[in-house]
Amino acid sequence: MLSHPAPLAVAAEDLTPAMLRRAYALMHTAAAMAALYEDQKAVAARYVHATARGHEAVQLAAAFLLSETDYAAPYYRDDAFLLGLGLRPYELMLQLLAKGDDPFSGGRTYYAHPSLRRPGVPVMPHQSSATGMQAIPATGMAHALAYLEGQGLRPAPALADAGGPNGAWLQEALRPLLGTRADPDEAPAPLPPLVLCSIGDGAMTEGEVSEALQMAVLHQLPIVYLVQDNDWGISATGPEMRAMDAYEFAAGFPGLHRVRVDGADLISSYKGLAEAYAHVRQRRGPALVHAKCPLLGHHTSGVRREWYRGDDLAQHQTQDPLPRLHRRLLAAGATEAELAALAAQARVTVAADWALALAAPNPDPATFADHEFAPPAVTQEAGERAPAGAEKVLMVDAALHAVDDILAEFPEALFYGQDVGGELGGVFREAALLAKKYGDKRVFNTPIQEAYIVGSTAGMAAVGARPIVEIQFADYIWPALNQLVEELSKSCYLSMGKFPVPALIRVPIGAYGGGGPYHSGSIESTLLTIRGIKVVYPSNAADMKGLMRAAFLDPNPVIMLEHKGLYWSKVPGTEEAKTLEPAAGYVVPLGQAAVAQAADPAHLRRGDTALVIAYGMGVHWARTASRDFPGRVEILDLRTLNPLDFAGVQAAVARHGKVLVLTEEPLMNSFAESLAGRIQRHCFMALDAPVFTLGAANLPAIPLNAELEKMMLPSAAKVAEALAELLAF
């Protein structure tokens, strides 16, 4: 049975008559859109969508209280919220129909999934449709706001975007009925910004939501979580899904201000949200508003209410926010004729916008691949790689110095992860003393929350912070993959380039002798199946420093894989991972391979050479193995795995005709096998032998015992054996 809190008492000045009439017109607009989509379902339901029907009151209240300096992360049922912010029905319909002029994604993603930077409207970054995934990026936005405020820096401004002024369509349509714009719509004095995260109650059971709430409370971030609770998931009811509602759940987070409202009543919703917003704007900590709402439409266009709702639907209809607001307006002195005119005008507007949206052009098919990445900031090597008087440096120190230089130069940069702050500075000392130097607001420890560490970077970047984060071991990155795949990797493409995610994600990787099954793994092949991210894998200190800076400057998500066995050059055969330290500011562009060792020209002329394509530890195995074949082995260090320098690969293959692709990963279905197949396909005429591959044994984990580890992994001796066979072919 749907139940609602008792209506809050409200003073007349809280919502002016003009605001109430505007809300009434927008409620009817949202309801007319839902009715039209149902009536025109043969067209409208071609692509899945959900509507706000039943949730309009709380969504409009939430929108009315926001300003253009705020940030918002709506969820998929928030079309009334978007109308309340001033977006035109036509704009939402363009996204519903996947039209080319869809202002959010150009026809690439679902209805009511905004990606918007527009003056007059809160910034709304891309978010996925995965349930609850917006909580972490939204909290990342709040984290960035708190950080930038503390540093005296300004958040990134809204940019000019397609579309008219906020709400201009409504003002024009209702001018004969409402008159000129009333004072609540006039620009108020700037308020301290906040983030609104809108979410359904079913999503509150997601573990990632708990990670977001934990960080919001821990750092007292300026965010309001609006939980719209209609007692349904898809076909699962509230009692089936949860032991408590969101308001009760939030009690487990001391310092999270809680408010209950009747989400079907505009005044209750407005008062409760105003209280929560004020709490956050006064920087008293985060807030959660639990709004009980009826679900009057379908779950989505693909899961229809008549299939499973039964008598429950009739119960929900008794709480329809439209007649409730209608009665309030009559009690406040409005006439039936006035309200009927507002409703009629809403229907006329919706019908006219639908006709325009239907006639709008589809996306140009030639643009389908646009905006996979934002253009790189670094396109050529620059700076001094081996300056006069430089000393050799360990890879771990080159990484530390690169991050130190970045933090010194870019005040918007911050660095966080497990154990990178405080006294320790990373379990490999890769962040040693940075927290002492820059303070615990810029370099800080996080809880064991890989999803937050990675997913928060999307929100950070949207506000203008530049995050550097660390996953302590590659073996523990898996909880972060949801955010990496659903949020970071898709953001630039689905927002048509409006929201690339400049995030540098450091990941220590690889075996180093006795690390065992949970501290030795290699994950690059998994990462390389994720489109929209870049993957970098240096093999020496100079490249580490140059690639680290280029990765930071890149406007896209970049994962920096840092081999633990190369950090200290203690593993036999890795002495050459130490190099002269490049000068501050040195950069190596992503996507350029390097010849780590050239073959002797005399052997090249005789045609008795081979090429080893490697990266990371493989470069050092190959160099050691090549001593058995003096002058006959070229080593191509890929340095970046995505984007891959395939032109460099092709040129090197053409020089030699014999190729070994080397990896530390188990070989079957790996990146190395994929690259070998690509070489076979595109370089076939240049080959004098099959493309050889070498990797670890195809086992699920690296064993703890050092001798067992040696049996599983490649080594210089195994590479030498493969080279002997290849050169003799």
Side-chain angles (χ1 to χ4, degrees), residues 338-363:
E338 289 173 325
L339 299 183
L342 290 172
Q345 183 58 56
R347 292 191 294 272
V348 169
T349 298
V350 167
D353 279 9
W354 179 249
L356 290 173
L358 288 174
N362 285 314

PDB file of all heavy atoms in Angstrom, residues 338-363:
ATOM      1  N   GLU A 338      -9.113  29.176 -15.650  1.00  0.00           N
ATOM      2  CA  GLU A 338      -7.683  29.474 -15.739  1.00  0.00           C
ATOM      3  C   GLU A 338      -6.860  28.183 -15.831  1.00  0.00           C
ATOM      4  O   GLU A 338      -5.945  28.070 -16.654  1.00  0.00           O
ATOM      5  CB  GLU A 338      -7.232  30.265 -14.513  1.00  0.00           C
ATOM      6  CG  GLU A 338      -7.740  31.705 -14.451  1.00  0.00           C
ATOM      7  CD  GLU A 338      -7.397  32.359 -13.134  1.00  0.00           C
ATOM      8  OE1 GLU A 338      -7.399  31.671 -12.083  1.00  0.00           O
ATOM      9  OE2 GLU A 338      -7.125  33.564 -13.140  1.00  0.00           O
ATOM     10  N   LEU A 339      -7.198  27.226 -14.987  1.00  0.00           N
ATOM     11  CA  LEU A 339      -6.435  25.980 -14.959  1.00  0.00           C
ATOM     12  C   LEU A 339      -6.654  25.172 -16.229  1.00  0.00           C
ATOM     13  O   LEU A 339      -5.720  24.553 -16.763  1.00  0.00           O
ATOM     14  CB  LEU A 339      -6.805  25.171 -13.717  1.00  0.00           C
ATOM     15  CG  LEU A 339      -6.525  25.864 -12.370  1.00  0.00           C
ATOM     16  CD1 LEU A 339      -6.868  24.936 -11.215  1.00  0.00           C
ATOM     17  CD2 LEU A 339      -5.073  26.320 -12.283  1.00  0.00           C
ATOM     18  N   ALA A 340      -7.884  25.183 -16.739  1.00  0.00           N
ATOM     19  CA  ALA A 340      -8.157  24.474 -17.986  1.00  0.00           C
ATOM     20  C   ALA A 340      -7.363  25.083 -19.135  1.00  0.00           C
ATOM     21  O   ALA A 340      -6.870  24.369 -20.025  1.00  0.00           O
ATOM     22  CB  ALA A 340      -9.654  24.513 -18.293  1.00  0.00           C
ATOM     23  N   ALA A 341      -7.214  26.399 -19.127  1.00  0.00           N
ATOM     24  CA  ALA A 341      -6.442  27.063 -20.184  1.00  0.00           C
ATOM     25  C   ALA A 341      -4.969  26.675 -20.108  1.00  0.00           C
ATOM     26  O   ALA A 341      -4.321  26.453 -21.145  1.00  0.00           O
ATOM     27  CB  ALA A 341      -6.606  28.565 -20.067  1.00  0.00           C
ATOM     28  N   LEU A 342      -4.421  26.582 -18.891  1.00  0.00           N
ATOM     29  CA  LEU A 342      -3.031  26.153 -18.739  1.00  0.00           C
ATOM     30  C   LEU A 342      -2.833  24.730 -19.252  1.00  0.00           C
ATOM     31  O   LEU A 342      -1.863  24.434 -19.965  1.00  0.00           O
ATOM     32  CB  LEU A 342      -2.606  26.249 -17.276  1.00  0.00           C
ATOM     33  CG  LEU A 342      -2.452  27.655 -16.684  1.00  0.00           C
ATOM     34  CD1 LEU A 342      -2.212  27.573 -15.178  1.00  0.00           C
ATOM     35  CD2 LEU A 342      -1.309  28.404 -17.359  1.00  0.00           C
ATOM     36  N   ALA A 343      -3.764  23.853 -18.884  1.00  0.00           N
ATOM     37  CA  ALA A 343      -3.663  22.460 -19.332  1.00  0.00           C
ATOM     38  C   ALA A 343      -3.787  22.366 -20.844  1.00  0.00           C
ATOM     39  O   ALA A 343      -3.053  21.618 -21.506  1.00  0.00           O
ATOM     40  CB  ALA A 343      -4.728  21.614 -18.644  1.00  0.00           C
ATOM     41  N   ALA A 344      -4.700  23.118 -21.410  1.00  0.00           N
ATOM     42  CA  ALA A 344      -4.899  23.076 -22.863  1.00  0.00           C
ATOM     43  C   ALA A 344      -3.665  23.590 -23.595  1.00  0.00           C
ATOM     44  O   ALA A 344      -3.249  23.017 -24.611  1.00  0.00           O
ATOM     45  CB  ALA A 344      -6.128  23.900 -23.240  1.00  0.00           C
ATOM     46  N   GLN A 345      -3.081  24.663 -23.079  1.00  0.00           N
ATOM     47  CA  GLN A 345      -1.887  25.202 -23.726  1.00  0.00           C
ATOM     48  C   GLN A 345      -0.729  24.207 -23.657  1.00  0.00           C
ATOM     49  O   GLN A 345       0.061  24.077 -24.594  1.00  0.00           O
ATOM     50  CB  GLN A 345      -1.474  26.515 -23.070  1.00  0.00           C
ATOM     51  CG  GLN A 345      -0.275  27.184 -23.737  1.00  0.00           C
ATOM     52  CD  GLN A 345      -0.512  27.466 -25.204  1.00  0.00           C
ATOM     53  OE1 GLN A 345      -1.469  28.139 -25.571  1.00  0.00           O
ATOM     54  NE2 GLN A 345       0.358  26.945 -26.070  1.00  0.00           N
ATOM     55  N   ALA A 346      -0.622  23.481 -22.549  1.00  0.00           N
ATOM     56  CA  ALA A 346       0.416  22.460 -22.431  1.00  0.00           C
ATOM     57  C   ALA A 346       0.243  21.393 -23.507  1.00  0.00           C
ATOM     58  O   ALA A 346       1.207  20.970 -24.151  1.00  0.00           O
ATOM     59  CB  ALA A 346       0.375  21.822 -21.042  1.00  0.00           C
ATOM     60  N   ARG A 347      -1.002  20.958 -23.724  1.00  0.00           N
ATOM     61  CA  ARG A 347      -1.248  19.931 -24.742  1.00  0.00           C
ATOM     62  C   ARG A 347      -0.921  20.458 -26.143  1.00  0.00           C
ATOM     63  O   ARG A 347      -0.367  19.733 -26.975  1.00  0.00           O
ATOM     64  CB  ARG A 347      -2.692  19.446 -24.663  1.00  0.00           C
ATOM     65  CG  ARG A 347      -3.005  18.657 -23.399  1.00  0.00           C
ATOM     66  CD  ARG A 347      -4.366  17.971 -23.473  1.00  0.00           C
ATOM     67  NE  ARG A 347      -5.466  18.928 -23.521  1.00  0.00           N
ATOM     68  CZ  ARG A 347      -6.061  19.436 -22.442  1.00  0.00           C
ATOM     69  NH1 ARG A 347      -5.646  19.086 -21.221  1.00  0.00           N
ATOM     70  NH2 ARG A 347      -7.064  20.293 -22.553  1.00  0.00           N
ATOM     71  N   VAL A 348      -1.259  21.717 -26.403  1.00  0.00           N
ATOM     72  CA  VAL A 348      -0.954  22.311 -27.710  1.00  0.00           C
ATOM     73  C   VAL A 348       0.563  22.362 -27.928  1.00  0.00           C
ATOM     74  O   VAL A 348       1.067  22.017 -29.009  1.00  0.00           O
ATOM     75  CB  VAL A 348      -1.564  23.721 -27.807  1.00  0.00           C
ATOM     76  CG1 VAL A 348      -1.025  24.461 -29.032  1.00  0.00           C
ATOM     77  CG2 VAL A 348      -3.081  23.640 -27.873  1.00  0.00           C
ATOM     78  N   THR A 349       1.292  22.779 -26.905  1.00  0.00           N
ATOM     79  CA  THR A 349       2.750  22.856 -27.008  1.00  0.00           C
ATOM     80  C   THR A 349       3.353  21.487 -27.275  1.00  0.00           C
ATOM     81  O   THR A 349       4.232  21.332 -28.137  1.00  0.00           O
ATOM     82  CB  THR A 349       3.342  23.443 -25.716  1.00  0.00           C
ATOM     83  OG1 THR A 349       2.843  24.766 -25.527  1.00  0.00           O
ATOM     84  CG2 THR A 349       4.861  23.478 -25.767  1.00  0.00           C
ATOM     85  N   VAL A 350       2.882  20.492 -26.548  1.00  0.00           N
ATOM     86  CA  VAL A 350       3.420  19.137 -26.706  1.00  0.00           C
ATOM     87  C   VAL A 350       3.137  18.610 -28.109  1.00  0.00           C
ATOM     88  O   VAL A 350       4.018  18.034 -28.768  1.00  0.00           O
ATOM     89  CB  VAL A 350       2.847  18.205 -25.624  1.00  0.00           C
ATOM     90  CG1 VAL A 350       3.132  16.740 -25.941  1.00  0.00           C
ATOM     91  CG2 VAL A 350       3.420  18.578 -24.260  1.00  0.00           C
ATOM     92  N   ALA A 351       1.927  18.816 -28.596  1.00  0.00           N
ATOM     93  CA  ALA A 351       1.577  18.338 -29.939  1.00  0.00           C
ATOM     94  C   ALA A 351       2.424  19.030 -31.001  1.00  0.00           C
ATOM     95  O   ALA A 351       2.912  18.392 -31.952  1.00  0.00           O
ATOM     96  CB  ALA A 351       0.095  18.559 -30.206  1.00  0.00           C
ATOM     97  N   ALA A 352       2.607  20.333 -30.863  1.00  0.00           N
ATOM     98  CA  ALA A 352       3.391  21.070 -31.846  1.00  0.00           C
ATOM     99  C   ALA A 352       4.857  20.632 -31.818  1.00  0.00           C
ATOM    100  O   ALA A 352       5.491  20.454 -32.874  1.00  0.00           O
ATOM    101  CB  ALA A 352       3.280  22.565 -31.580  1.00  0.00           C
ATOM    102  N   ASP A 353       5.398  20.445 -30.621  1.00  0.00           N
ATOM    103  CA  ASP A 353       6.798  20.022 -30.526  1.00  0.00           C
ATOM    104  C   ASP A 353       6.994  18.603 -31.052  1.00  0.00           C
ATOM    105  O   ASP A 353       8.038  18.279 -31.634  1.00  0.00           O
ATOM    106  CB  ASP A 353       7.275  20.130 -29.074  1.00  0.00           C
ATOM    107  CG  ASP A 353       7.669  21.557 -28.699  1.00  0.00           C
ATOM    108  OD1 ASP A 353       7.409  22.470 -29.507  1.00  0.00           O
ATOM    109  OD2 ASP A 353       8.240  21.745 -27.607  1.00  0.00           O
ATOM    110  N   TRP A 354       6.006  17.758 -30.849  1.00  0.00           N
ATOM    111  CA  TRP A 354       6.085  16.388 -31.374  1.00  0.00           C
ATOM    112  C   TRP A 354       6.156  16.407 -32.898  1.00  0.00           C
ATOM    113  O   TRP A 354       6.971  15.682 -33.502  1.00  0.00           O
ATOM    114  CB  TRP A 354       4.895  15.580 -30.886  1.00  0.00           C
ATOM    115  CG  TRP A 354       4.839  14.161 -31.376  1.00  0.00           C
ATOM    116  CD1 TRP A 354       3.951  13.621 -32.251  1.00  0.00           C
ATOM    117  CD2 TRP A 354       5.695  13.083 -30.972  1.00  0.00           C
ATOM    118  NE1 TRP A 354       4.186  12.287 -32.435  1.00  0.00           N
ATOM    119  CE2 TRP A 354       5.258  11.926 -31.661  1.00  0.00           C
ATOM    120  CE3 TRP A 354       6.784  12.981 -30.113  1.00  0.00           C
ATOM    121  CZ2 TRP A 354       5.879  10.687 -31.513  1.00  0.00           C
ATOM    122  CZ3 TRP A 354       7.410  11.746 -29.965  1.00  0.00           C
ATOM    123  CH2 TRP A 354       6.956  10.615 -30.656  1.00  0.00           C
ATOM    124  N   ALA A 355       5.342  17.229 -33.510  1.00  0.00           N
ATOM    125  CA  ALA A 355       5.361  17.319 -34.972  1.00  0.00           C
ATOM    126  C   ALA A 355       6.724  17.793 -35.463  1.00  0.00           C
ATOM    127  O   ALA A 355       7.262  17.275 -36.456  1.00  0.00           O
ATOM    128  CB  ALA A 355       4.256  18.255 -35.454  1.00  0.00           C
ATOM    129  N   LEU A 356       7.297  18.772 -34.764  1.00  0.00           N
ATOM    130  CA  LEU A 356       8.618  19.256 -35.148  1.00  0.00           C
ATOM    131  C   LEU A 356       9.692  18.181 -34.956  1.00  0.00           C
ATOM    132  O   LEU A 356      10.586  18.014 -35.800  1.00  0.00           O
ATOM    133  CB  LEU A 356       8.983  20.494 -34.326  1.00  0.00           C
ATOM    134  CG  LEU A 356       8.195  21.776 -34.617  1.00  0.00           C
ATOM    135  CD1 LEU A 356       8.560  22.855 -33.596  1.00  0.00           C
ATOM    136  CD2 LEU A 356       8.486  22.269 -36.035  1.00  0.00           C
ATOM    137  N   ALA A 357       9.595  17.460 -33.841  1.00  0.00           N
ATOM    138  CA  ALA A 357      10.589  16.418 -33.562  1.00  0.00           C
ATOM    139  C   ALA A 357      10.519  15.292 -34.588  1.00  0.00           C
ATOM    140  O   ALA A 357      11.549  14.771 -35.033  1.00  0.00           O
ATOM    141  CB  ALA A 357      10.399  15.872 -32.150  1.00  0.00           C
ATOM    142  N   LEU A 358       9.310  14.903 -34.961  1.00  0.00           N
ATOM    143  CA  LEU A 358       9.159  13.858 -35.975  1.00  0.00           C
ATOM    144  C   LEU A 358       9.808  14.273 -37.289  1.00  0.00           C
ATOM    145  O   LEU A 358      10.372  13.428 -38.011  1.00  0.00           O
ATOM    146  CB  LEU A 358       7.685  13.542 -36.201  1.00  0.00           C
ATOM    147  CG  LEU A 358       6.957  12.785 -35.090  1.00  0.00           C
ATOM    148  CD1 LEU A 358       5.468  12.695 -35.415  1.00  0.00           C
ATOM    149  CD2 LEU A 358       7.552  11.386 -34.903  1.00  0.00           C
ATOM    150  N   ALA A 359       9.733  15.542 -37.619  1.00  0.00           N
ATOM    151  CA  ALA A 359      10.264  16.026 -38.892  1.00  0.00           C
ATOM    152  C   ALA A 359      11.764  16.308 -38.839  1.00  0.00           C
ATOM    153  O   ALA A 359      12.382  16.552 -39.885  1.00  0.00           O
ATOM    154  CB  ALA A 359       9.520  17.295 -39.304  1.00  0.00           C
ATOM    155  N   ALA A 360      12.347  16.279 -37.655  1.00  0.00           N
ATOM    156  CA  ALA A 360      13.771  16.598 -37.525  1.00  0.00           C
ATOM    157  C   ALA A 360      14.619  15.515 -38.183  1.00  0.00           C
ATOM    158  O   ALA A 360      14.232  14.345 -38.234  1.00  0.00           O
ATOM    159  CB  ALA A 360      14.140  16.736 -36.050  1.00  0.00           C
ATOM    160  N   PRO A 361      15.800  15.875 -38.677  1.00  0.00           N
ATOM    161  CA  PRO A 361      16.640  14.893 -39.372  1.00  0.00           C
ATOM    162  C   PRO A 361      17.258  13.880 -38.415  1.00  0.00           C
ATOM    163  O   PRO A 361      17.504  14.178 -37.238  1.00  0.00           O
ATOM    164  CB  PRO A 361      17.721  15.749 -40.023  1.00  0.00           C
ATOM    165  CG  PRO A 361      17.797  16.979 -39.171  1.00  0.00           C
ATOM    166  CD  PRO A 361      16.390  17.229 -38.694  1.00  0.00           C
ATOM    167  N   ASN A 362      17.513  12.699 -38.953  1.00  0.00           N
ATOM    168  CA  ASN A 362      18.254  11.690 -38.215  1.00  0.00           C
ATOM    169  C   ASN A 362      19.738  12.045 -38.226  1.00  0.00           C
ATOM    170  O   ASN A 362      20.187  12.881 -39.010  1.00  0.00           O
ATOM    171  CB  ASN A 362      18.034  10.311 -38.835  1.00  0.00           C
ATOM    172  CG  ASN A 362      16.669   9.758 -38.512  1.00  0.00           C
ATOM    173  OD1 ASN A 362      16.225   9.801 -37.370  1.00  0.00           O
ATOM    174  ND2 ASN A 362      15.975   9.245 -39.522  1.00  0.00           N
ATOM    175  N   PRO A 363      20.531  11.407 -37.367  1.00  0.00           N
ATOM    176  CA  PRO A 363      21.975  11.683 -37.394  1.00  0.00           C
ATOM    177  C   PRO A 363      22.575  11.312 -38.743  1.00  0.00           C
ATOM    178  O   PRO A 363      22.118  10.378 -39.411  1.00  0.00           O
ATOM    179  CB  PRO A 363      22.519  10.789 -36.279  1.00  0.00           C
ATOM    180  CG  PRO A 363      21.352  10.455 -35.415  1.00  0.00           C
ATOM    181  CD  PRO A 363      20.158  10.451 -36.308  1.00  0.00           C
TER     182      PRO A 363
END
